[in-house]
Amino acid sequence: MKKPKRYANLRLGTKLMVSYSSLLVILLVFWCFSSYLQINRQLTANARTEFRNSSEFSGILLKNKLRRAEQALQLMAEDEGAVETFSAPYLSQFQQAQNLLRQFDPLLASINQQNEYLEEVRIYTYYGLKNSRGYILDAAAASGTEARYLQC
């Protein structure tokens, strides 16, 4: 027994409507797919551009922060009073520590105020000496990470 051909038995108007609807659905699917591909390419290109721009900005910002930190350290290294403080003969460690406080306390306060990128600059001493602003600390009070640097 043969199956009846349903499409062949339809009226002409109905056949045209089914054909037209099928064509529209096929075109709509093709248009959606091509739009998806185009938007996907555009979004991927935008994401790459944004990533490149943010990476460049982060690099510039990091270089700027490192340059400012280097300038602060250079300022400390070139300070004549600091060189004299470390090279002068002292009768006691306490006298040396007092001179260290007198010399570095204003210098470190100035460096911390002028450089917003520096969280803080610290000097650790073995004299048990601390200043009121917290820039000069006792080496025994250093945390684990800081203590590793002090042992070098």
Side-chain angles (χ1 to χ4, degrees), residues 34-133:
S34 65
S35 296
Y36 167 77
L37 290 177
Q38 185 178 8
I39 290 171
N40 189 18
R41 273 189 242 119
Q42 188 175 12
L43 287 176
T44 303
N46 289 347
R48 285 182 181 151
T49 303
E50 287 295 321
F51 179 75
R52 187 180 320 111
N53 290 343
S54 65
S55 297
E56 288 174 5
F57 178 75
S58 296
I60 291 169
L61 187 63
L62 183 60
K63 284 180 183 178
N64 190 24
K65 287 181 180 183
L66 290 174
R67 184 181 50 78
R68 286 192 176 207
E70 183 180 5
Q71 288 173 346
L73 293 175
Q74 192 68 29
L75 181 66
M76 288 176 55
E78 291 174 353
D79 187 57
E80 292 178 14
V83 174
E84 290 175 13
T85 300
F86 286 114
S87 61
Y90 294 102
L91 299 175
S92 68
Q93 287 183 343
F94 181 75
Q95 183 186 15
Q96 186 178 12
Q98 286 297 328
N99 284 348
L100 182 74
L101 264 179
R102 193 173 328 120
Q103 179 62 38
F104 279 107
D105 197 30
L107 179 64
L108 292 176
S110 171
I111 287 171
N112 282 336
Q113 287 174 356
Q114 293 174 5
N115 294 294
E116 74 238 20
Y117 295 123
L118 291 179
E119 189 174 313
E120 61 184 354
V121 177
R122 300 178 187 166
I123 294 179
Y124 291 95
T125 67
Y126 290 101
Y127 310 124
L129 183 68
K130 297 178 184 178
N131 68 338
S132 61
R133 293 188 187 118

Side-chain angles (χ1 to χ4, degrees), residues 11-49:
R11 291 183 304 167
L12 181 62
T14 308
K15 286 181 184 180
L16 287 174
M17 181 65 92
V18 170
S19 298
Y20 181 71
S21 299
S22 300
L23 181 64
L24 283 179
V25 168
I26 290 171
L27 289 175
L28 184 65
V29 168
F30 177 73
W31 178 77
C32 288
F33 184 71
S34 65
S35 296
Y36 167 77
L37 290 177
Q38 185 178 8
I39 290 171
N40 189 18
R41 273 189 242 119
Q42 188 175 12
L43 287 176
T44 303
N46 289 347
R48 285 182 181 151
T49 303

